[in-house]
Amino acid sequence: MTYKKRPTTLSELKRRVENYFASRLMPVLDKNGNVILDKKGKPVKKIALPYTLTGLALAIGVESREELFNFKDEEMQRYIKMSVLKVEEYAEERLFSKEAFSGVKLFLSVNFDRWKNLDASDSDEGEYLLPESVQKWTV
């Protein structure tokens, strides 16, 4: 396996990030196995492989997920933050899937500070206690 060197320009960083996200997509097929096209004749695509911080780091050419945030150039930092936000958005959307709830919850709490306070005793069985202020308004 060959390893990429850390990008030195914003355009190289953007290319690597866009290629990473594009590599996770696959065309949507109809029931006969034909690629479904949009109005412009381009294939409709869906996410086939999950977006991950480690995958993003490897695609960019940094040695760790933490190193994603160590770019000195402000525009590169901003682009990385937006890319990481896209990974977080993907994971957050997966919270609505019963099959993936527990794993996604763990992923978010480990990788994103604002998710660290998730109650470890939360159940994915659908039994959640509402705050007292909300409970008094339920019927």
Side-chain angles (χ1 to χ4, degrees):
M1 173 182 225
T2 54
Y3 297 100
K4 299 175 183 171
K5 290 188 177 188
R6 185 183 179 105
T8 56
T9 64
L10 179 60
S11 62
E12 177 63 16
L13 175 66
K14 284 182 175 182
R15 187 184 63 73
R16 290 182 188 186
V17 169
E18 289 168 12
N19 286 342
Y20 170 72
F21 287 121
S23 75
R24 313 318 270 173
L25 303 176
M26 67 174 277
V28 176
L29 305 176
D30 65 16
K31 62 183 177 183
N32 298 320
N34 300 316
V35 175
I36 297 175
L37 303 176
D38 65 13
K39 293 178 182 178
K40 296 180 181 178
K42 294 185 178 184
V44 174
K45 295 186 177 183
K46 67 177 183 177
I47 299 171
L49 297 169
Y51 299 149
T52 65
L53 292 177
T54 305
L56 183 61
L58 285 168
I60 291 171
V62 296
E63 296 178 8
S64 68
R65 294 176 304 157
E66 294 76 22
E67 197 178 325
L68 282 169
F69 301 101
N70 290 337
F71 284 86
K72 296 201 184 325
D73 181 83
E74 285 185 37
E75 282 299 310
M76 292 174 87
Q77 283 178 8
R78 184 173 188 284
Y79 196 78
I80 290 291
K81 286 179 184 177
M82 296 302 291
S83 301
V84 168
L85 196 59
K86 186 172 181 172
V87 173
E88 183 180 3
E89 175 198 30
Y90 169 79
E92 187 177 343
E93 288 173 352
R94 299 288 295 147
L95 284 173
F96 294 98
S97 167
K98 185 175 182 178
E99 300 82 32
F101 179 83
S102 296
V104 171
K105 186 171 132 181
L106 175 64
F107 172 80
L108 288 167
S109 66
V110 167
N111 291 294
F112 300 98
D113 289 339
R114 68 172 161 240
W115 293 90
K116 288 196 186 315
N117 292 329
L118 291 177
D119 185 2
S121 66
D122 279 352
S123 166
D124 59 348
E125 308 268 330
E127 296 179 22
Y128 301 99
L129 292 176
L130 296 173
E132 191 174 315
S133 61
V134 175
Q135 286 180 351
K136 67 181 179 184
W137 296 104
T138 59
V139 179

